[in-house]
């Protein structure tokens, strides 16, 4: 999508650090934006800062399919049909795999994965039916490719989301709807405080993340917002904002490929059509 002039975007988690940065860059490029968030007062404050003609705030709980439908109706009534869908809302929860409360696992997956599924189910049929240029961006994380200890609920949900975005890209091949999978490293936002606030009451005061997992020293969200809008304009699938991970990801992939030596059944070959490269 080269031209954002007059385009309508919805950003879930739009009241957050990265979501509002994406909004700012979309508006600068000519789009109008709906900030959809569970924290409506924060979304309203940011929408007012972004400019009343350019941004609106709508309430949304990404885990609730009905809430998505209500949000879509509100955006369509105020701005029109959505061309750019940014599935960005996300939460984190710290703990070892066997120590994390089952309800915490469910909550993280409900927000990070089911939230993205609801986004696509709510908006994609209309985008396809209109047949116009559109774009869907999924806010994954570098941890989808480079997971680490004590963040398993988060990193496994982001790995699933990256896979989800890859399948979506394949399913939309040949249409005018592009897909991006955004995989940032650390970004300086209030992710952990907002996630603590968003937690169901029974999960309040869970295991605190170690000090080295603070996002306060991360990249400023503005850079990520700009990179996302540039990626949409270029119809780029992978969006990496932190190149520090290249060596370790290359090494992980080399390790994986070195383990793929010879077939367990030398007489069997997979069907050729399964072996096409992933979308570029
Ligand atoms: N900050 C980082 O280091 C980092 C790195 C990689 C990826 N990400 C991802 O970027 C996205 C945005 O995170 P951020 O860092 O801007 O944090 P943030 O907390 O500022 O933004 C997340 C927003 O999602 C909202 N939200 C949470 N649960 C919701 C729900 N059920 N319904 C609707 N809204 C909900 C929050 O209110 C918040 O405004 C997340 O998906 C996060 O996982 C963040």
């Amino acid at each position: 999508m080269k031209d954002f002039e007059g385009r309508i975007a919805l950003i879930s988690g739009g009241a957050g650090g990265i979501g509002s940065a994406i909004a700012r860059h979309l508006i600068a490029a000519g789009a109008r934006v709906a900030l959809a968030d569970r924290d409506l007062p924060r979304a309203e404050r940011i929408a007012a800062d972004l400019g009343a003609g350019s941004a609106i705030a709508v309430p949304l709980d990404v885990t609730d399919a009905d809430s998505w439908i209500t949000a879509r109706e509100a955006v369509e009534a105020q701005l029109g049909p959505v061309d750019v869908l940014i599935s960005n809302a996300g939460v984190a929860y710290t703990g070892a795999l066997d120590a994390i409360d089952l309800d915490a696992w469910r909550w993280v997956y409900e927000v990070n994965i089911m939230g993205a599924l609801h986004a696509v189910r709510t908006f994609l049929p209309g985008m396809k039916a209109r047949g116009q240029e559109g774009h869907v961006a999924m806010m994954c994380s570098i941890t989808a490719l480079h997971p680490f200890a004590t963040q398993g609920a988060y990193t496994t949900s982001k790995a699933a989301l990256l896979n989800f975005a890859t399948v979506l890209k394949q399913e939309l091949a040949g249409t005018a709807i592009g897909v991006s999978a955004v995989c940032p490293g650390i970004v300086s936002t209030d992710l952990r405080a907002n996630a603590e606030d968003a937690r169901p009451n029974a999960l309040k005061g869970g295991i605190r993340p170690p000090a080295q997992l603070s996002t306060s020293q991360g990249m400023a969200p503005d850079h990520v917002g700009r990179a996302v809008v540039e990626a949409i304009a270029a119809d780029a699938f992978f969006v990496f904002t932190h190149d520090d991970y290249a060596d370790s990801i290359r090494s992980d992939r080399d390790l994986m490929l070195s383990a793929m030596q010879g077939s367990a059944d030398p007489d069997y070959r997979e069907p050729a059509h399964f072996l096409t490269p992933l979308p570029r």
Side-chain angles (χ1 to χ4, degrees):
M1 178 181 290
K2 298 258 176 288
D3 186 4
F4 291 92
E5 200 59 48
R7 300 291 193 165
I8 308 302
L10 177 134
I11 306 176
S12 73
I18 295 176
S20 56
I22 298 171
R24 201 169 307 114
H25 283 275
L26 282 170
I27 290 168
R32 286 182 298 155
V33 175
L35 307 175
D37 206 287
R38 63 174 288 282
D39 190 333
L40 186 60
R42 186 154 42 88
E44 285 173 336
R45 279 198 301 279
I46 293 168
D49 283 351
L50 290 170
S54 304
I56 62 167
V58 292
L60 172 68
D61 176 355
V62 295
T63 68
D64 178 353
D66 291 339
S67 174
W68 274 102
I69 292 169
T70 309
R72 185 188 66 205
E73 288 169 352
V75 176
E76 287 179 351
Q78 293 176 70
L79 300 178
V82 166
D83 309 295
V84 179
L85 173 63
I86 315 270
S87 180
N88 164 75
V91 292
Y93 193 91
T94 296
L97 295 178
D98 58 344
I100 296 175
D101 192 292
L102 273 182
D103 285 334
W105 277 100
R106 291 191 186 100
W107 170 61
V108 171
Y109 275 62
E110 283 287 336
V111 176
N112 293 3
I113 280 293
M114 295 304 285
L117 176 62
H118 291 313
V120 165
R121 285 173 60 89
T122 307
F123 285 98
L124 194 57
M127 291 169 78
K128 281 179 173 169
R130 282 194 305 284
Q132 291 175 6
E133 220 182 359
H135 204 93
V136 181
M138 294 284 158
M139 188 54 66
C140 309
S141 159
I142 199 69
T143 63
L145 295 164
H146 194 68
F148 52 99
T150 77
Q151 297 303 305
Y154 181 77
T155 69
T156 58
S157 74
K158 293 298 184 178
L161 188 58
L162 176 56
N163 197 299
F164 182 103
T166 309
V167 173
L168 189 63
K169 174 78 182 167
Q170 289 171 331
E171 292 181 353
L172 292 175
T175 74
I177 304 170
V179 179
S180 296
V182 190
C183 300
I186 304 169
V187 185
S188 176
T189 69
D190 294 330
L191 175 66
R192 296 204 174 268
N194 289 338
E196 171 93 34
D197 186 50
R199 266 179 215 177
N201 281 338
L203 299 172
K204 296 271 189 215
I207 307 162
R208 289 243 151 241
Q212 73 266 28
L213 285 180
S214 162
T215 56
S216 61
Q217 300 302 314
M219 182 182 284
D222 186 65
H223 300 290
V224 180
R226 189 186 63 248
V228 169
V229 175
E230 286 174 358
I232 296 172
D235 193 17
F237 178 68
F238 284 117
V239 187
F240 292 115
T241 49
H242 300 55
D243 63 3
D244 318 64
Y245 292 88
D247 287 344
S248 48
I249 289 176
R250 192 175 295 114
S251 151
D252 292 347
R253 294 282 147 153
D254 287 349
L255 178 68
M256 202 187 293
L257 289 172
S258 70
M260 205 181 283
Q261 301 284 346
S263 171
D265 175 358
D267 296 327
Y268 173 77
R269 300 294 359 144
E270 289 281 88
H273 62 271
F274 277 22
L275 307 177
T276 49
L278 292 176
R280 296 288 187 261

